[in-house]
Amino acid sequence: SSTGHHTKNYPLDQWALVAEGLKNDGWHVRCIGGPSDQPVPNTENQIGKPLPDSMALVAESDLVLCGDTGAGHIAAAYGVPVVSVFGPTDPAVFSPYTQYGVALRAESHRPEDIEPDQILKGAFALMEGHGAAIPR
């Protein structure tokens, strides 16, 4: 999903590589977001659903991967492990409040400088041990 400001968005083609890595590991990948968002290719498209429906999808997820968006905070509120990709916003202040989270930020503060493998590494670290999250 987009973040509402282009400097905070992670590129769609890089999200597609993340989704491919998850799918190759046996995960089912869904994409949520607002009506103006673009779905990640080769994922289950749930873009444009009403907020309560998107929140329900987050609540029933095993893991949420997102940019600096509300979806990360919703995941944290439901206790769902979350990997958040940050750009210019400081994750020390604005990352989801959870012990089951990973906040990634490139030294350049440009989200596109985070490699898809870094997101996958964070996701797999959270999901180690029979699908249970490991506190950070």
Side-chain angles (χ1 to χ4, degrees):
S1 65
S2 70
T3 60
H5 195 274
H6 68 90
T7 62
K8 295 169 47 174
N9 291 346
Y10 192 67
L12 195 59
D13 62 329
Q14 287 177 265
W15 277 127
L17 294 172
V18 172
E20 181 180 320
L22 290 170
K23 288 171 67 174
N24 288 342
D25 198 55
W27 290 88
H28 178 81
V29 181
R30 294 186 286 202
C31 188
I32 64 169
S36 63
D37 289 334
Q38 296 295 312
V40 175
N42 299 314
T43 64
E44 179 186 322
N45 182 5
Q46 295 291 321
I47 297 283
K49 300 285 183 187
L51 182 58
D53 294 348
S54 292
M55 291 175 68
L57 289 170
V58 168
E60 69 184 34
S61 296
D62 293 317
L63 173 69
V64 170
L65 308 178
C66 58
D68 176 11
T69 67
H73 298 284
I74 293 167
Y78 284 120
V80 176
V82 59
V83 178
S84 301
V85 178
F86 280 81
T89 307
D90 185 356
V93 177
F94 295 103
S95 67
Y97 185 72
T98 179
Q99 63 180 337
Y100 304 114
V102 173
L104 300 173
R105 186 184 197 200
E107 286 185 32
S108 66
H109 299 184
R110 294 166 26 117
E112 63 268 23
D113 291 341
I114 296 171
E115 295 294 327
D117 284 346
Q118 290 174 273
I119 296 171
L120 289 168
K121 182 179 176 183
F124 294 142
L126 281 173
M127 299 310 294
E128 281 179 4
H130 308 291
I134 301 171
R136 61 176 162 165

